[in-house]
Amino acid sequence: MSPSPASKPAALWLQPARERSLLRRHPWIFSGGVARVDGAPQPGDTVLVRAADGTELGWAAYSPASQIRARMWSFDPAQQVTDSFVAARVTTAAERRGALLGAGGTDSARLVFSEADGVPGLIADRYGDTIVCQLTTAGAEAWRDVLADALFALPGVACVYERSDADVREREGLGPRVGLLRGTAPSPELTAHEGGFRFAVEVEGGHKTGFYLDQRDARAAVAAWAPGRRVLNVFSYTGAFSVIAAAREASSLLSIDSSGPALEVAARNGALNGVDVGELMEADAFTALRGLRDRAQQYDLILLDPPKLANTERQLDKATRAYKDLNLLAVKLLAPGGVLMTWSCSGAMTMDLFQKVVAGAALDATRGSADSAVRIIGRLHQPSDHPVPLSFPEAEYLKGLVVQAN
Ligand code: SAH
């Protein structure tokens, strides 16, 4: 994979001044920052990155089809990117999750979070003895076998399954690829254990790698707020929040999702945990929320976790209106003293902007009553196994607000 010492490595030369972000350890090189490429690197090949004056800046994975033309493997020009280098990145990332895994009966966590763990293009989620991974870039694709071996070599791993079917692969000129990578086939009954709860993992057909590991901290927040409350779980997916709310004795529970199969799994998740997840409604959330509003329904705890509504900055305007509509409807459904937990998992939506959107929604929802106010009482973020390097804020994508009405 790596250039043999004798051959001259392909080199990517930056435009003048475009080394600045790299000197701050930001790992992306955009196509507009590239002056020229020497040699004929193939997609995923490792290239030496040079500033306009020839200074060697490090090594990067080359993605000729993508606007993100290269992603840094290393900021040390003396560090060759070899099999053992790449494997060690995976092992070290997994070791960093040591404190999380095993604590409180939790056996599931994201082991590798792409650039945030120095392995651009690799997502690897562990569920017990099974790892489900996603390769999203040409660089990760080129190191597929090394990555698979490194994941399979982690202690207690029986299976590495590939779910490289995310849309982002298209931007890298890669087609979808799904299937067993190493070991024995994953159990159809695979579950994620988390703090005494069990959740079905939809390895083959589910969202992401089969479960929303990134809402772990939110599940704890739901557990704290659910007791005795009328709970509305909008965009429930497989009902993880609903299971928690039911176990914590919510007084009533309604889960809404447009996916029938996801709701079937929600019912199964209830059974797995010995709780009744209450009413499951297969519906479009926008329509369903309007229906509940028209019937003057009220809830004490509303969870609003829509899918990614903006994939890019360009889609942000439209997405902002959708977020506002949803939050406006949700605030209207809050009982006095009711709490809304509301999220955006669009990377393009910053916490600042999201807060403004929710503020606008709350204002419009409460215009009728002059002395009403909606307050932020908490903020929610992606959990510790989805870290955000200070040098790479783009890793932050999931943000939530906990707000309370008068
Ligand atoms: N809160 C969930 C994850 C939600 S993912 C958890 O913690 O596991 C987003 C969900 O929104 C998916 O299940 C998807 O099926 C659903 N969805 C997408 N568009 C929808 C729509 N218009 N109406 C209702 N549900 C929708």
Side-chain angles (χ1 to χ4, degrees), residues 2 6 25 60 72 80 165 221 224 279 292 311 362 373 396:
S2 53
R25 304 251 165 148
M72 296 301 284
Q80 292 281 310
D165 52 358
E279 190 182 346
L292 295 172
N311 283 307
E396 182 173 357

Side-chain angles (χ1 to χ4, degrees), residues 10 87 130 136 155 208 228 263 288 292 309 385 387:
T130 298
T136 61
K208 295 199 176 209
L263 292 174
L292 295 172
L309 298 176
D385 52 340

Side-chain angles (χ1 to χ4, degrees), residues 222-248:
V222 170
W225 279 101
R229 292 193 156 82
R230 292 166 288 179
V231 176
L232 173 63
N233 183 8
V234 193
F235 304 100
S236 66
Y237 189 48
T238 53
F241 290 150
S242 308
V243 165
I244 306 267
R248 292 290 178 267

